[in-house]
Structures are given as C-alpha cells and as structure tokens.
Amino acid sequence: MEHQIGGTSESPETEYFDSNPPPNSLHSHSTLARAFITQHAEQNRRVVLVTSGGTTVPLENQTVRFIDNFSAGTRGATSAEYFLSEGYAVIFLHRQYSLLPYSRHYSHNTNCFLDFMKEDESGAVVVGDEYQREMAKVLKQYAAAKKANMLLLLPFTTVNDYLWDLMEIAKLMRPLGPCALFYLAAAVSDFFVPHDRMVEHKIQSSEEFNAAVELDGCERDGRNPAAHIRGTSLIIDLDPVPKFLKLLVDGWAPEGMIVSFKLETDPSMLAKKARYALEKYSHHLVIGNLLMTRKWEVIFVAADGDEHWIRVPRNKRTKSFSGREEFIGLAGGSVGTASALSNANADMNNTTHALGGEPAVEIESLIVPEVAQRHEDHIRAARNRANPPTST
C-alpha cells in the first residue's frame, strides 16, 4: 500500500527514511565504504556485502530498554572468512560486539581468551604451545586480509542504523553492476518503534509515578507513545519494519546478485516460506534453515527453479549446544544425499572437532563456494546480455 504525502504517492519504505533520522555514523561509514569499493572496483575484484548479527529495537530515545534477538553473528562472521578465501573483498556490516571474522575462533569459546595465553620465563605474554599452530594459521589469514585491505568492518546496533547503512552501501555498490553480491545474513527485526512515537527518557516502572511527573514530549504532542506503563504492565505497540528487499532489487542495486536467508522453526513451513519470499521480492536466492539444524543443513531455493539441500555429513558436524540432530531431514530432502564437500574446504581453521576425531566441517564452507559459483553464472549471464555473441 502507498500513502499520499503532500499530494505525492510515497511507499512505506520511502516514508520510513523521511520519518526516521539517519544515525550519526552514516557519514563516516559512507566515506569508508566508498573508498573501499572504489579500490576494489579499480582492481576488478568482486565485492560482497555480508550483513551479520541481530538488530535492536530501542524503546526510548535515550535508550535504556530495548528489544533484541539471540543472533551472535556466527553465520555472517564465518561466511565472511570463506568469501575472503574465494577472493572477494568483504564489507562486513555487523552488529556491534557480535562475532567478527577470524577473532570468532577465540571470542566465541567456552574458555576465556586469556586461557590461550601464558607468561614465558622472561615475563613476555605468548600463546600457549598447544594453540600455536591453529592460532598462527588464523593470524596469517587475518593479516593477509588486512594488508590487502580486503575486509571492511562497519558496526550497527539498531534496526534504524542497519537500514540506513544498507541503503547507503547498496547505492555505493551500484556501479559494480553484476559484480556486486549481497549476502544478507543479519537477523533484522520485523517490528520497530517509529521515531515520532518513541519517548525521550527511560520508561518508569510505576504508573503512579508517571502520572505525577511532567509528560514526555511524545505525549504532550497528543501522540500515543509506543511503549508505556499501564497498571503494572509494560505495553508495547510496535509498527512493522517495511520490507526493503524489493527496493534493493529494483532500485538500490538492480544488477547485483542478492541472497537472503529464511529462518523457521516449523519444518513443514521452511521450503514454502523460502519460495514465497523469492517470488515476492524477485531476487536470486533464498537460503533457508531451521533453528535446530542451522549448523548442519540448509536449503537453497533459487530463482531458476532449483531447490536442493546442503548437509554436512554426520561424522563431520560441528558441535551445537542448541541443535537437535533428530530434526535433520524433517523439512525435506534425502538425508542420505549429503552435499559433496567441494574442495572440502577442509582448510578448517575452527577448533571444534566432530565425532571420532574427524575435522569438523562448518556448513558455511559448503554454502559460500556454491554462492560464489552462482554469482559467477550471474555475472556471465549479465555480460552476455550486454554483449550478445554474434552469429557466424
């Protein structure tokens, strides 16, 4: 549905940016992204925007309380490493303090980071002998990416931060044409508090106290605050976040390849919801996963009609505290036809090990090479359309 504003028709997506101010970080992020994209365009390198982690929904302008989700950014941070190994320059738009490429191996661990360190006889701090080999490998990869300026880290916190950054970076990537890839792994909030319905100060927990103090600016203007106390209950009235994927497809980066993710908890809904999203937004690929099996299996639902599962073989699965292996295969597909390990990407640099001492395979090592191949096909098709072969 479109709204009439000032005699002109404006979509909810466009109206969002008119009504919700940009974050203070937008200008600096734009400057960094522009320089990064320009460098790699000049080097004829493909650029991927990887979004990662969850967004918050503040309930007050001076935020004390907010709504959050559980995403730690594992999928995004892990995928970013494999995109770097595929030769991509990576813009990593991530939730502040969520997992980062390379450091994730040590920050996302049941041990304290200091457990990897020790003091030698001279008093210098060094890596423990048992961790030297693995840590040196990760450090070498990180240093190479940093030296070549292949990884740009841009943090966000709120859903508003994320949406403004996504729009700005997508427009900056537009000149890359089909060489731009969007890998949208962030867990973006479905609902938010509009700026004009957000109270300025901390919401007090006592209705009687609230009645005795001066009204917040939102209430003085006759607007109903989205979050308020009624009796002893906190009432929160959220608006839906407009769906920006269609704008990304049609306007912000119409030639780039766009990959989105769909997370479900009901196995019977996963493939249907993935196909529905693909048809609704007309992008290129939806990668669907179940909450309980997301580390071991995903379904690819593509615009060309292809629909298939990628699964990590049983003896190569990473550990998961929240995973349920008995759920594998419930959403469809034959469990016996596990995806080939491509080059096994057994270039494993994680420290988790599977059953029987086998090196664990991160499912992103299977996802990313296939996405990269599909991106190669996307680029080739775009070039053929621009320069159709002449008949002889």
Side-chain angles (χ1 to χ4, degrees):
M1 176 181 289
E2 294 187 339
H3 303 276
Q4 291 293 129
I5 298 182
T8 62
S9 182
E10 194 167 270
S11 69
E13 294 80 10
T14 303
E15 184 184 357
Y16 176 92
F17 293 111
D18 291 338
S19 305
N20 294 277
N24 294 331
S25 60
L26 185 65
H27 177 71
S28 63
H29 285 187
S30 177
T31 301
L32 292 169
R34 181 181 289 106
F36 185 85
I37 292 164
T38 299
Q39 173 197 331
H40 294 293
E42 291 173 350
Q43 296 172 353
N44 199 30
R45 184 174 287 121
R46 296 167 192 176
V47 178
V48 58
L49 172 65
V50 176
T51 69
S52 183
T55 60
T56 68
V57 177
L59 300 182
E60 307 113 343
N61 191 35
Q62 298 190 44
T63 307
V64 174
R65 296 183 173 90
F66 57 89
I67 300 171
D68 204 353
N69 67 45
F70 74 92
S71 176
T74 306
R75 177 83 79 213
T78 308
S79 296
E81 290 182 25
Y82 289 108
F83 274 117
L84 286 162
S85 71
E86 292 282 337
Y88 281 82
V90 176
I91 301 174
F92 190 64
L93 182 62
H94 66 284
R95 166 73 176 275
Q96 190 172 35
Y97 307 125
S98 66
L99 295 180
L100 296 176
Y102 305 115
S103 67
R104 71 181 175 92
H105 298 278
Y106 306 101
S107 60
H108 196 43
N109 198 293
T110 53
N111 295 326
C112 171
F113 180 73
L114 295 176
D115 290 336
F116 297 99
M117 308 293 185
K118 68 178 183 179
E119 196 174 0
D120 68 11
E121 294 178 356
S122 69
V125 176
V126 296
V127 176
D129 295 340
E130 64 271 42
Y131 305 116
Q132 285 279 347
R133 185 175 178 180
E134 289 181 356
M135 192 171 284
K137 185 177 183 180
V138 174
L139 179 61
K140 184 178 179 180
Q141 293 172 335
Y142 170 70
K146 187 175 180 180
K147 182 177 180 180
N149 193 32
M150 294 285 284
L151 177 63
L152 176 63
L153 305 177
L154 299 177
F156 64 81
T157 301
T158 71
V159 65
N160 189 57
D161 299 342
Y162 172 84
L163 293 173
W164 276 98
D165 278 332
L166 176 63
M167 178 178 68
E168 183 70 12
I169 296 168
K171 289 180 177 179
L172 291 171
M173 290 177 66
R174 188 186 300 165
L176 296 171
C179 291
L181 174 61
F182 296 84
Y183 186 87
L184 307 178
V188 184
S189 305
D190 291 318
F191 300 92
F192 79 115
V193 176
H195 180 72
D196 65 355
R197 295 184 58 215
M198 190 181 297
V199 297
E200 179 64 21
H201 299 290
K202 175 188 173 185
I203 301 165
Q204 300 299 320
S205 58
S206 167
E207 187 177 41
E208 291 80 6
F209 181 81
N210 283 328
V213 299
E214 182 182 355
L215 291 175
D216 190 275
C218 178
E219 295 168 286
R220 284 197 303 270
D221 293 341
R223 288 171 283 125
N224 182 32
H228 57 276
I229 296 294
R230 182 182 301 163
T232 58
S233 299
L234 173 62
I235 308 299
I236 305 175
D237 179 20
L238 302 174
D239 283 10
V241 173
K243 300 300 183 183
F244 289 91
L245 196 51
K246 192 65 175 172
L247 274 182
L248 183 61
V249 172
D250 293 340
W252 298 345
E255 294 184 83
M257 178 176 166
I258 299 167
V259 180
S260 70
F261 283 78
K262 175 62 66 175
L263 175 72
E264 294 293 335
T265 57
D266 183 347
S268 68
M269 296 292 292
L270 182 60
K272 297 174 186 175
K273 290 292 290 290
R275 176 60 60 184
Y276 175 80
L278 192 73
E279 292 171 353
K280 182 175 182 179
Y281 301 114
S282 303
H283 55 303
H284 304 91
L285 177 67
V286 176
I287 300 176
N289 47 178
L290 285 176
L291 178 64
M292 293 297 185
T293 62
R294 65 191 185 281
K295 294 183 182 296
W296 308 313
E297 65 173 2
V298 299
I299 184 172
F300 273 43
V301 180
D304 61 9
D306 178 45
E307 189 172 305
H308 72 276
W309 285 88
I310 290 178
R311 290 190 173 100
V312 176
R314 187 173 187 275
N315 65 338
K316 293 185 179 292
R317 294 174 192 159
T318 57
K319 294 177 182 177
S320 173
F321 293 111
S322 61
R324 299 276 298 277
E325 293 198 57
E326 65 269 26
F327 277 51
I328 293 176
L330 289 184
S334 171
V335 179
T337 57
S339 177
L341 296 184
S342 59
N343 51 17
N345 264 333
D347 175 21
M348 288 299 101
N349 44 24
N350 62 321
T351 56
T352 310
H353 289 78
L355 299 174
E358 289 285 335
V361 170
E362 296 173 313
I363 194 167
E364 292 80 9
S365 72
L366 309 179
I367 294 171
V368 169
E370 180 160 343
V371 170
Q373 181 57 57
R374 287 175 177 272
H375 190 209
E376 171 69 29
D377 296 341
H378 173 81
I379 294 169
R380 187 182 303 112
R383 289 173 176 167
N384 287 339
R385 287 192 299 271
N387 301 288
T390 56
S391 58
T392 56

